Amino acid sequence: MQKRWVEQALLYPEKVEELCKSLGISRVLARLLTKREIHSYQDAEHFFCPELNHLHDPFLMKDMDKAILRIEKALENNEKILIYGDYDVDGTTAVALVYSFFREFYNRIDFYIPDRYAEGYGISTAGVDYAHEHGFSLIIALDCGIKSMDKVSYAHSKQIDFIIADHHNPSDTLPDAAAVLDPKRIDCNYPFKELSGAGIGFKLIQAFSQRNSISDEKVYCYLDLVAVSIASDIVPIVGENRVLTHYGLKKFNSNPCVGLEALIALSRNKEVFSVRDLVFQIGPRINAAGRIKHARDAVFLLVSRSAEEARQFSEQIDIQNSQRKDFDSQITEEALAMIDESEEFRQRKTTVVYKQDWHKGVIGIVASRLTEKYYRPTVVLTRSNGMVAGSARSVLGYDLYEALNQCSELFEQFGGHKYAAGLSMLEENVSAFQTRFEEIVSANIPMQLLTPELLIHEVLELKEIGGKFFRILKRFAPFGPQNESPLFLSKGVNLVGYASIVGKGHLKMRVVQGASSAFECIGFGLAEMYSLVSDGLPFDICYSIEENVWRDRREIQLNIKGIKMAEYSTESVN
């Protein structure tokens, strides 16, 4: 699918010269910094040199003092504590983190992950019943619970207290818990609002350690789990998350917990992991446990004490991940066939597909793949526990949650955010939902949002790419949401020699621009551009800059994201 090329506007041109002089960097790098809201030497120092002492005081979070007091009371009274979490990567890493920390000095503690299929997302009645039957009087709920008013009340009726530690948007009413930790509470003045679920768990143990004179090292040793959660939950890697990810990756790549080390062993030929590697190699394996069998297996792996125990759990999870891939491929093929065989489907501005026997554990992945293929708001539905369950994904810039909210009378349950959501409905409402969702989206989605965009961060001359430039550019990492790997535009480049098609439709070539050095390029999935680059005329390229390592040889490589004939105009966005 052809993409729109959009150049990011510069909002603070007056800051560029100041950064050039104070940092001794090029205008291109200074402009990139201002587009990341870095306007001074001090801002740049915090950005390039994150320090753990940049982390905020955990007691700035509303109810943190109440949470710590309730935990201390439980320890003093020898109460049983249950660490409860969601079944995705963020939830399981959060549970593993908090459980591992407290079990070091307290043994009346256990964890609970709800069954994706029998209980569904969040705090369940079955989970509260489990706590009651096994004598737990305090539940610490991580990555869930902010809207579980009824379940918290039910727990009260059984003399069980809750501490909610969530990062999702709350309702107007909060659960009547002993403490509700959520920086998105409107009455919470915590300076950073975008922590992951495991990030909230980290702040909880950080606060407990401060109050009880436990060394920082006994808290920071869990930063590898926090980094996995931040990467996999796609939260912005700015502010406090940048610090947590920076040090979490250091821990992950040097001395990971034995559970993560077992997963690393399954990812062959990888020496240093980036955020992207966590997203695509580590996260899916952790998620596979809950998608195929039960997510508690992922927690067992992550809290393993011995390498042998971790190896056994990692091998089970790797098998489950292979099964997940098979389900994913099969269902994606079936869904694509449904769409391709129907002219009506292809003309719509939405995609809603339903089949009773699709595996519920992978419909979210399939929804993402269909959105990538057809680039329109997408819902994939299947039958589960007598209901129709669905997973929804949106396109950049379109508020999926608000569109679904306008269909809420057709749902039994739904929840989510701007770009992803889950829902359930009666089977007789599927057809009405398909119609209503299409009507709502068609009425208010701007046409340009139905074409994917390449957001170009800077125009760059190839001659500007050198050793110093690339060394500084690498320090912009860790990359992720709101701190993406910069995309550059170079105009009027020429092919050197011949282009070639390698692998499964990838374009490989070398290019120059005027008198610049020649740069190796790889364009994944861009074989269709072979003719354009080979006709002898100049062309424009959009790319990120990376280091290619092959047999101890390192060289700068351009990862091509788009190619056009020379002399075109791009949009500009703020």
Side-chain angles (χ1 to χ4, degrees):
M1 179 180 291
Q2 189 66 37
K3 296 182 178 181
R4 293 179 294 124
W5 291 24
V6 181
E7 289 188 43
Q8 186 179 19
L10 180 66
L11 298 181
Y12 307 99
E14 71 279 4
K15 299 292 184 182
V16 173
E17 288 303 323
E18 180 183 332
L19 287 173
C20 286
K21 291 176 183 177
S22 63
L23 299 175
I25 60 175
S26 71
R27 288 181 60 81
V28 169
L29 291 169
R31 287 164 64 93
L32 285 174
L33 288 173
T34 63
K35 291 175 181 179
R36 284 159 169 74
E37 301 295 326
I38 296 162
H39 301 146
S40 67
Y41 182 90
Q42 184 179 25
D43 290 344
E45 186 176 38
H46 275 68
F47 181 76
F48 287 125
C49 305
E51 298 288 345
L52 288 167
N53 61 20
H54 295 163
L55 297 176
H56 302 301
D57 180 354
F59 286 99
L60 294 175
M61 193 175 296
K62 182 76 172 178
D63 276 7
M64 185 62 80
D65 53 344
K66 294 180 181 178
I68 300 308
L69 286 171
R70 183 62 185 89
I71 293 171
E72 289 173 340
K73 177 185 173 184
L75 300 183
E76 183 180 340
N77 294 335
N78 206 30
E79 297 178 51
K80 290 186 71 176
I81 302 173
L82 187 66
I83 311 300
Y84 190 112
D86 189 23
Y87 42 66
D88 67 0
V89 179
D90 193 17
T92 52
T93 52
V95 167
L97 184 160
V98 174
Y99 172 80
S100 296
F101 173 80
F102 282 108
R103 79 167 173 189
E104 289 299 310
F105 53 86
Y106 191 69
N107 61 14
R108 289 176 63 78
I109 189 168
D110 203 349
F111 65 84
Y112 185 94
I113 304 289
D115 184 279
R116 178 189 289 263
Y117 305 104
E119 297 170 70
Y121 167 77
I123 298 169
S124 67
T125 301
V128 175
D129 287 342
Y130 174 91
H132 177 66
E133 290 162 8
H134 291 81
F136 292 93
S137 55
L138 176 62
I139 300 176
I140 301 175
L142 299 155
D143 193 35
C144 61
I146 196 63
K147 294 184 178 180
S148 299
M149 281 71 78
D150 56 338
K151 303 301 189 298
V152 172
S153 295
Y154 178 63
H156 280 171
S157 72
K158 296 182 176 294
Q159 289 73 54
I160 298 171
D161 281 343
F162 261 97
I163 292 172
I164 304 295
D166 202 352
H167 70 127
H168 296 99
N169 290 323
S171 302
D172 293 336
T173 303
L174 296 175
D176 184 20
V180 178
L181 307 176
D182 189 336
K184 293 189 174 78
R185 288 178 59 167
I186 59 173
D187 60 347
C188 180
N189 295 320
Y190 192 76
F192 187 68
K193 304 295 184 181
E194 300 297 337
L195 291 166
S196 65
I200 305 289
F202 176 83
K203 302 307 293 189
L204 179 67
I205 67 169
Q206 185 186 29
F208 184 89
S209 298
Q210 286 183 15
R211 184 68 61 83
N212 290 275
S213 301
I214 297 172
S215 69
D216 290 342
E217 288 70 25
K218 293 187 182 298
V219 177
Y220 296 155
C221 65
Y222 300 108
L223 283 172
D224 50 356
L225 292 170
V226 179
V228 172
S229 88
I230 289 172
S232 300
D233 219 50
I234 322 295
V235 293
I237 302 186
V238 297
E240 198 165 31
N241 279 344
R242 179 174 173 83
V243 178
L244 294 169
T245 306
H246 175 85
Y247 285 95
L249 281 172
K250 278 190 171 184
K251 174 73 164 55
F252 185 96
N253 284 306
S254 62
N255 183 31
C257 68
V258 292
L260 291 176
E261 192 167 27
L263 291 180
I264 291 170
L266 299 173
S267 304
R268 299 169 183 83
N269 302 321
K270 195 71 190 176
E271 293 181 5
V272 178
F273 282 72
S274 65
V275 168
R276 179 179 172 83
D277 297 321
L278 300 186
V279 171
F280 289 102
Q281 297 191 42
I282 302 300
R285 286 186 165 91
I286 296 174
N287 254 336
R291 294 185 188 281
I292 302 302
K293 189 181 176 185
H294 201 294
R296 64 172 168 256
D297 289 347
V299 180
F300 281 128
L301 167 67
L302 297 174
V303 303
S304 296
R305 291 185 183 271
S306 72
E308 177 57 25
E309 181 185 13
R311 183 190 63 78
Q312 292 177 12
F313 278 113
S314 69
E315 288 177 353
Q316 291 177 29
I317 285 175
D318 201 40
I319 292 170
Q320 291 162 0
N321 191 46
S322 296
Q323 293 172 329
R324 186 271 304 170
K325 289 179 181 178
D326 292 340
F327 284 127
D328 172 10
S329 298
Q330 173 199 337
I331 296 170
T332 300
E333 287 180 12
E334 292 179 6
L336 290 172
M338 282 184 185
I339 297 166
D340 291 340
E341 291 168 5
S342 169
E343 179 66 23
E344 181 185 359
F345 261 131
R346 293 197 299 273
Q347 296 303 318
R348 290 178 178 174
K349 292 184 173 64
T350 63
T351 299
V352 180
V353 289
Y354 170 50
K355 193 175 179 187
Q356 290 187 349
D357 62 353
W358 282 343
H359 196 289
K360 184 186 174 187
V362 300
I363 58 174
I365 302 172
V366 175
S368 295
R369 296 197 192 287
L370 297 183
T371 304
E372 185 178 338
K373 169 80 172 174
Y374 297 103
Y375 212 72
R376 53 202 188 199
T378 298
V379 184
V380 178
L381 302 167
T382 189
R383 191 163 179 81
S384 177
N385 293 329
M387 301 286 291
V388 171
S391 191
R393 298 291 183 270
S394 192
V395 297
L396 183 66
Y398 186 72
D399 194 333
L400 173 74
Y401 184 88
E402 180 54 35
L404 291 173
N405 193 41
Q406 295 180 55
C407 305
S408 59
E409 73 277 4
L410 298 171
F411 302 146
E412 298 301 302
Q413 276 187 317
F414 95 100
H417 51 77
K418 184 174 182 177
Y419 293 118
L423 52 93
S424 64
M425 70 182 84
L426 299 175
E427 189 165 27
E428 56 261 33
N429 288 340
V430 170
S431 179
F433 168 66
Q434 286 177 311
T435 302
R436 179 77 177 128
F437 187 56
E438 172 68 17
E439 289 173 349
I440 291 165
V441 174
S442 296
N444 61 35
I445 191 168
M447 284 302 296
Q448 69 267 23
L449 294 189
L450 294 172
T451 302
E453 74 172 29
L454 282 174
L455 181 60
I456 298 164
H457 299 102
E458 274 299 315
V459 177
L460 182 66
E461 299 285 326
L462 292 185
K463 65 183 180 183
E464 297 182 73
I465 304 174
K468 179 182 177 182
F469 180 91
F470 185 59
R471 284 194 299 274
I472 296 172
L473 189 66
K474 286 197 294 185
R475 293 184 64 190
F476 279 60
F479 297 120
Q482 297 184 25
N483 185 47
E484 291 84 0
S485 178
L487 283 185
F488 297 102
L489 166 63
S490 292
K491 301 180 179 182
V493 307
N494 291 96
L495 180 69
V496 177
Y498 298 95
S500 60
I501 297 174
V502 298
K504 296 182 179 180
H506 311 315
L507 181 66
K508 189 172 178 59
M509 61 183 176
R510 299 175 75 223
V511 300
V512 295
Q513 184 185 43
S516 77
S517 301
F519 286 89
E520 294 287 342
C521 304
I522 184 70
F524 294 104
L526 293 180
E528 63 188 30
M529 294 294 176
Y530 176 84
S531 297
L532 188 153
V533 303
S534 300
D535 66 4
L537 297 175
F539 51 92
D540 301 336
I541 55 174
C542 176
Y543 58 92
S544 60
I545 305 173
E546 59 190 26
E547 188 173 51
N548 186 37
V549 181
W550 176 249
R551 293 180 179 174
D552 296 327
R553 181 186 172 192
R554 297 175 181 269
E555 65 178 0
I556 292 175
Q557 175 177 268
L558 310 185
N559 188 329
I560 307 296
K561 306 298 182 180
I563 303 172
K564 285 188 176 182
M565 294 179 61
E567 297 187 357
Y568 73 101
S569 62
T570 59
E571 302 174 42
S572 180
V573 297
N574 291 334

